[in-house]
Amino acid sequence: MSKRSPQKPQPKNPARPAEVVRREDDWTTRPELRLRVLGLPPDISTRALWDSFSPYGAVSQIEIFEDSRGMRDGSARVIFKPPPFEPFWQLIAPFRLGRGPGNGTTLRIFPEAPRRTFYHPSPVNPAIKYPEVMTLQANSIDFGIMYDRNTMMSMHTVVASPQGGIRFIQNMLYRETVVEFRVDINKRSELFRFSIPFAYLDTILRVDSGQSGNIELIVSLPTPPRFFRKLDERDTHETKARYWTEKDAWFRQTDITDFPLRVRDAPVTIKKPGPIIDIGRWTTYRLKFDISSNEDESLFRQIGQALRDYNITIKEISGFQVASHREPAVWKYIDQPITAPHKPTSTLADLFKDESIPPLAFPVRYQLEVCISHGYLNEHNLGQEFIRQLRNMDPTKAQDILEYVANQETRVFEPMELFDIKIIKGSASRPPIPQYCAFIRSATVTPSTVYFNTPTVEISNRVIRYYAEHADRFLRVRFADEKDEGKIYSTDKDTMNEVFTRVKRALRNGIKVGERHYEFLACGNSQFRENGAYFYAPLPHLEAQHIRNWMGHFDEIPYVAQHAARLGQCFSTTRAIIGTRTTIREIEDEERKGHVFTDGVGMISPFLAQLITHELGIVRASSEPPSIFQFRMGGCKGILAVSPSSKLQEITIRRSQYKFAARHEGLEIIKCSQFSASNLNRQIIVVLSTLGVPDKIFVEKQKAQLANLTLAMTNELKALTMLQKDIDPNQMTLALAGMILDGFQRCQEPFMMSVLRLWRAWSIKSLKEKARITIEKGAFLLGCVDETATLKGHFDESPVPKAHEPLEQRVKSLPEVFVQLSKGTHGKPEVILGPMLLARNPSLHPGDIRVVQGVDVEALRHLKDAVVVPQTGDRPIVNMCSGGDLDGDDYLVIWDPELLPCEWNHPPMDFTPAKKIPLGRQVTPDDLTSFFVEYMKNDNLSRIATAHLALADFMEAGVKSTKCLKLAELHSTAVDYIKSGVPARMTRDLRPGKWPHFMEKKNLPQENVYRSRKVLGQLFDQVEMVDFVPVYDAAFDKRILNAYKIDSTMLEDAAVIKQQYDAAVRRIMAQHAISTEFEVWSTFVMNHSKASNNYKFHEEIGRISAALKDRFRALCYEKAGGSNFETLGPFSVAMYTVTADEISQAVAEARARKATMTTDKMPMMSFPWLFQSVLGKVANGATVA
């Protein structure tokens, strides 16, 4: 008979001088007791307090307090959960410290009043209250897999015992289900737990055993939860820490195994060596309960109701079965050597040995592991005949079948049925891809498992291009938390040590797929920040070290971080400029007072700029090329600004741009200058608010933007105005504007209206979550230097402008910049004059946002859509902007007078980087992988930025408060960590104790969240989120459908390419956890896999979407017979017709079934919009006979 865990456990030291009478209104009835402790010595530790108090009950938290100066004030709080059995502080007088510093010190202790009710309101009916924590004891738990829809295969069973119960816990405060259990490992009983957020639970199956009170709950998850092991609490205290919680004793786990040495030396594979519980893949759990007592039955019903309130269904089923564990034979089938049988036999293994059967081709084997790793196929369902058929068929067809399985993202219980499905050719059939792209295999290594991904088309880099014949031997690897959890974040505790050890093992031991053993190669700089790297499967004549040797000469770089950064330079995503000879001219930098004013800036001739523009297919409104190109060339990096004085094929390089000697010397382009709209964000708003910009300015601007977004859905002129001004970095708003000009909003074309709705929902989401207010009088531009030395720079002796001075007086001392827009207010080039803001994201320090003076310099008018800064003065003004430079940084420029603050040019921070420590010997791959792991452990960038935002709102002085200024310094150190190797250490006193409501810390107790009345709180409350709902039931544009008579052959050709295109889009959606095709096409992504921050991901998805479109445009050109309008016009109509037919049929079927039309059930419709401008011409009557 199961019972709940006791509410009031006996103390470890149970001596009681007197009986204690419990009263309903006293501390003994609470779930926890908070004790305030006074009279502590200044060097007291959390461990000493734990030793003194833990004999009397379960200590859950200890906090040692400091005063406003950061000095300990002799007091602490000790929290018991549940409360101790008796008031030991009254019964033991005087109460003294038991050990450690201050041993024998007499303490004063008294209970604190409760801070909350310990009940949690139902989200459905707030009048209903649930206990914050509800715990039910289970008799046993099975770990396994779903063998079929009604059968679980149990792989391991844990049975409750007097020494170790199984606890099924519902934590309503943190909205999660927790299961605790014990496992015997090497004669030791270890306590484990796993937690499942309510958001990841959908349905729990309930099975009644037929015996009164005996029930089973089946929880089957598509991805593994987080597992933890509890250590001895006394060993989890840090020496100087002021804070300890019992959570510090729960350490993340990557394996539960009897053989840790076998795991230590093994490469990462799907099939783990010798697990007791494979926590990454056995994600179906069966819990057995005995709820025959009235108390347990009532609690079970209460738990069920609470879960239902969070939209978690408890579904009663019958006929559910549990199969016993057996080893899958599939690995033996595909891994064993193929030999001819010597004699007839009927054993399964010998039947399979047939020398006429070839081994699985590696692309097929890899794609099979893609399906198994994601759980779409399970090895226990794969038999001999399935593998035999895969081996016997054409490898391309086999790969297409398995890609189809991966694209469907649905578990297949009957794999043999796949051979009966008609599969349209997928990416395995290799339709042409642009020459600047490559098919890249990738993997995600999580704490508990590994996921392989279907090869996707990506823009390549220097290394992949040079070794193109071996491109399939490269594997792009990302280390992340469990699926959909995003990055593995740093921690100053040791609780994640097992996870970081697994990362190091993967980097050291490699990753194995079939016969290929991938080894660590290197990682790009952006990959490094996102915890990613390239691996390579070596050949006898080409190993990873050979590739690193080809990349450049790095032996003279004695700093591990810098060495890694220089290697990463070769992995930048670039477009190679082929067949263009260049002449290199070298010049010196402009240096003064320890600053390099021309850091990262070179020059390029107009002729070469025009060639690059043509080769990259950059569409420009004018005939002029972009003014600036971010580039890589051999060991050089930075930007190249167009210079009229440069000769025909001349490139000018400065010493600051040269980073290492490289064999490869071809010119490669990352991006070019273009106009993007200026948008505020939370960090910039809190800085401007502290500097004196009134709240109402931001509130009114956001209010106007929200109103305009709503009006744009029905008003073409308003939509056009907004889309042509609020230009995103991928220029997709201009594409939408073009569709409106072609009349597609007027006729309510379904795809056009869907993307327009998406743009509005994305814009509103950005306002809600980031305060992304678009500023019309502003721009987001690449920076470069004034080569004429005309612009006035910053001089230290210049007077700081005062708020009371006239504007004419204030601007006299300002540094100067040159900003010319290619398309100004009247559609012509316009030079911006007068005072303006100059900033770089992120801006955390009050001196990060500079006020500068825009001037006109005729000698600089060849530069457009860039901010040109001076090379004169005592300090580069870009360096004052969050430590920026000119090797490819974008800058926010705003000339809206309403946003000019009262205080101009607060003293800037010193951004001198920390001193690097040389290694003292040559850097090895092991050094690189160790730094990779250390970087993951100590990368506090996001934690520092989050704490800064919270404290800037909480503190009266805002970003000028002492804590915020310290955090700004730490943030600068954290930004440089990747290059300096010096981590930013964030002390606990810099962590917010309270969080503003707009930061949406939903899992915190209410006492730790306050409603912000400052500007960010006002902006957050002003915005109501809008769901994105595509338009499926609107009529397709008859102007297009009736433009041509399309024959059946052309329609069939279009249908075949559409299916290939749809599959490619689904692969991108799956890889990045994007919900809809509309987001991939437009790059307005509502949510993604959290692998990158939102701004970086917007750039990344822009490149991915552009490559996708280029690839399938080329395929359509080939099938249509050309790229001119005469041939492409009819073919684009065929594409549109096929899409319209699919959607119309699906709409009719949905209406007949009265089903909701959701994106996962409806066909895709973005395919014909590969040729948006062609469809526009057709719609407006430009047809051919």
Side-chain angles (χ1 to χ4, degrees), residues 1141-1157 1161-1163:
D1141 289 345
E1142 287 184 9
I1143 296 291
S1144 298
Q1145 181 179 345
V1147 168
E1149 291 174 358
R1151 285 173 173 167
R1153 298 192 316 269
K1154 296 183 179 179
T1156 304
M1157 288 175 272
K1161 295 182 175 63
M1162 296 295 289

Side-chain angles (χ1 to χ4, degrees), residues 751 1036 1050-1063 1065 1077-1078 1081 1108-1109 1111-1113 1115-1117 1119 1131-1140 1142-1143 1163-1172 1175:
F751 180 78
F1036 279 73
M1050 188 176 288
L1051 289 172
E1052 289 171 5
D1053 289 342
V1056 169
I1057 299 176
K1058 182 180 187 296
Q1059 296 210 25
Q1060 292 179 333
Y1061 169 84
D1062 290 352
V1065 173
E1077 61 166 326
F1078 307 98
W1081 186 91
L1108 169 82
K1109 292 169 184 175
R1111 174 188 172 195
F1112 281 94
R1113 282 177 189 135
L1115 198 59
C1116 291
Y1117 295 152
K1119 190 61 70 174
F1131 196 80
S1132 65
V1133 172
M1135 296 163 66
Y1136 192 82
T1137 302
V1138 166
T1139 303
E1142 287 184 9
I1143 296 291
M1164 292 189 170
M1165 67 163 85
S1166 62
F1167 173 58
W1169 297 95
L1170 291 171
F1171 299 105
Q1172 163 210 326
L1175 291 177

Side-chain angles (χ1 to χ4, degrees), residues 19-71:
E19 288 294 321
V20 177
V21 179
R22 296 185 180 276
R23 300 192 309 275
E24 288 301 318
D25 61 343
D26 70 5
W27 56 266
T28 61
T29 62
R30 303 174 199 157
E32 70 178 32
L33 173 66
R34 294 170 174 244
L35 294 179
R36 178 58 69 98
V37 183
L38 304 177
L40 292 169
D43 54 351
I44 189 68
S45 66
T46 59
R47 169 66 189 271
L49 285 169
W50 187 91
D51 285 338
S52 296
F53 285 84
S54 61
Y56 305 100
V59 177
S60 67
Q61 185 176 310
I62 299 169
E63 183 174 6
I64 301 170
F65 294 111
E66 292 181 345
D67 60 23
S68 59
R69 298 169 298 163
M71 305 295 291

Side-chain angles (χ1 to χ4, degrees), residues 523-532 571 573 978 1096 1103:
C523 49
N525 294 329
S526 60
Q527 271 189 308
F528 213 114
R529 294 190 187 280
E530 306 301 338
N531 303 339
F571 287 94
T573 300
I978 197 169
K1096 289 292 183 185
R1103 290 191 293 267

Side-chain angles (χ1 to χ4, degrees), residues 624 627 675 779 781 817-824 828-833 836 855-858 860-868 895:
E624 295 179 354
S627 297
F675 175 87
L781 307 170
V817 298
F818 175 81
V819 177
Q820 180 180 204
L821 308 182
S822 58
K823 188 177 180 181
K828 297 179 180 179
E830 179 183 359
V831 176
I832 307 301
L833 304 175
M836 61 182 73
V855 297
D856 188 5
V857 177
E858 188 171 351
L860 298 176
R861 286 193 180 176
H862 61 285
L863 297 172
K864 298 181 178 68
D865 296 330
V867 53
V868 186
W895 52 93

Side-chain angles (χ1 to χ4, degrees), residues 131-409:
E132 283 183 354
V133 178
M134 295 179 281
T135 303
L136 195 64
Q137 288 284 98
N139 292 343
S140 66
I141 179 172
D142 291 89
F143 298 82
I145 63 159
M146 290 300 293
Y147 184 76
D148 60 37
R149 289 179 178 82
N150 293 301
T151 305
M152 173 188 178
M153 179 178 286
S154 174
M155 314 298 283
H156 184 81
T157 303
V158 175
V159 179
S161 67
Q163 292 74 33
I166 298 169
R167 303 207 307 158
F168 182 65
I169 305 165
Q170 307 308 311
N171 191 314
M172 308 308 295
L173 184 63
Y174 294 104
R175 298 178 181 88
E176 64 180 1
T177 294
V178 177
V179 178
E180 292 184 2
F181 60 96
R182 286 191 171 272
V183 176
D184 291 331
I185 300 176
N186 296 326
K187 299 182 180 180
R188 290 197 327 270
S189 178
E190 301 277 10
L191 180 61
F192 293 89
R193 69 160 42 158
F194 62 88
S195 58
I196 311 170
F198 287 172
Y200 293 174
L201 280 172
D202 179 34
T203 301
I204 297 176
L205 303 180
R206 171 177 172 169
V207 181
D208 287 318
S209 65
Q211 299 180 11
S212 176
N214 290 341
I215 62 164
E216 301 173 5
L217 292 183
I218 313 296
V219 180
S220 188
L221 302 176
T223 59
R226 296 177 177 184
F227 274 73
F228 303 82
R229 176 170 62 96
K230 190 168 188 182
L231 273 62
D232 189 330
E233 290 183 354
R234 75 189 72 196
D235 299 327
T236 60
H237 298 259
E238 295 181 0
T239 305
K240 296 182 179 180
R242 295 191 304 106
Y243 187 85
W244 178 90
T245 170
E246 61 96 17
K247 286 186 177 180
D248 293 338
W250 287 98
F251 277 45
R252 281 290 297 276
Q253 294 299 289
T254 62
D255 302 277
I256 300 179
T257 178
D258 274 325
F259 306 103
L261 292 181
R262 195 185 298 178
V263 172
R264 183 190 67 185
D265 300 323
V268 173
T269 58
I270 292 177
K271 188 174 184 292
K272 287 189 173 182
I276 297 175
I277 302 172
D278 188 341
I279 63 176
R281 304 198 57 231
W282 301 348
T283 58
T284 296
Y285 314 100
R286 177 176 71 151
L287 293 118
K288 290 185 177 180
F289 300 91
D290 178 358
I291 57 169
S292 53
S293 73
N294 291 336
E295 184 182 15
D296 286 337
E297 184 181 10
S298 174
L299 178 60
F300 183 81
R301 284 200 305 269
Q302 190 177 32
I303 288 173
Q305 184 57 53
L307 292 174
R308 279 188 287 272
D309 285 354
Y310 281 91
N311 202 31
I312 300 167
T313 303
I314 311 290
K315 182 180 179 182
E316 295 189 24
I317 62 167
S318 58
F320 190 84
Q321 300 179 21
V322 178
S324 58
H325 168 235
R326 65 173 183 271
E327 286 295 323
V330 65
W331 301 114
K332 180 173 65 177
Y333 298 159
I334 61 178
D335 286 337
Q336 69 177 3
I338 306 299
T339 58
H342 297 291
K343 59 183 180 180
T345 177
S346 60
T347 67
L348 189 61
D350 287 340
L351 277 172
F352 192 70
K353 293 176 181 176
D354 183 347
E355 64 181 358
S356 65
I357 301 175
L360 275 180
F362 180 77
V364 179
R365 168 64 186 266
Y366 175 85
Q367 196 60 37
L368 179 61
E369 296 213 18
V370 170
C371 296
I372 293 174
S373 68
H374 285 275
Y376 308 139
L377 294 174
N378 189 281
E379 57 264 45
H380 291 86
N381 299 116
L382 303 179
Q384 175 192 13
E385 187 57 30
F386 180 81
I387 301 300
R388 182 185 292 275
Q389 286 208 36
L390 278 184
R391 274 188 165 130
N392 285 340
M393 66 172 46
D394 176 77
T396 298
K397 184 177 179 183
Q399 191 178 349
D400 282 344
I401 287 174
L402 295 171
E403 282 198 16
Y404 170 82
V405 174
N407 290 341
Q408 297 305 302
E409 298 184 347

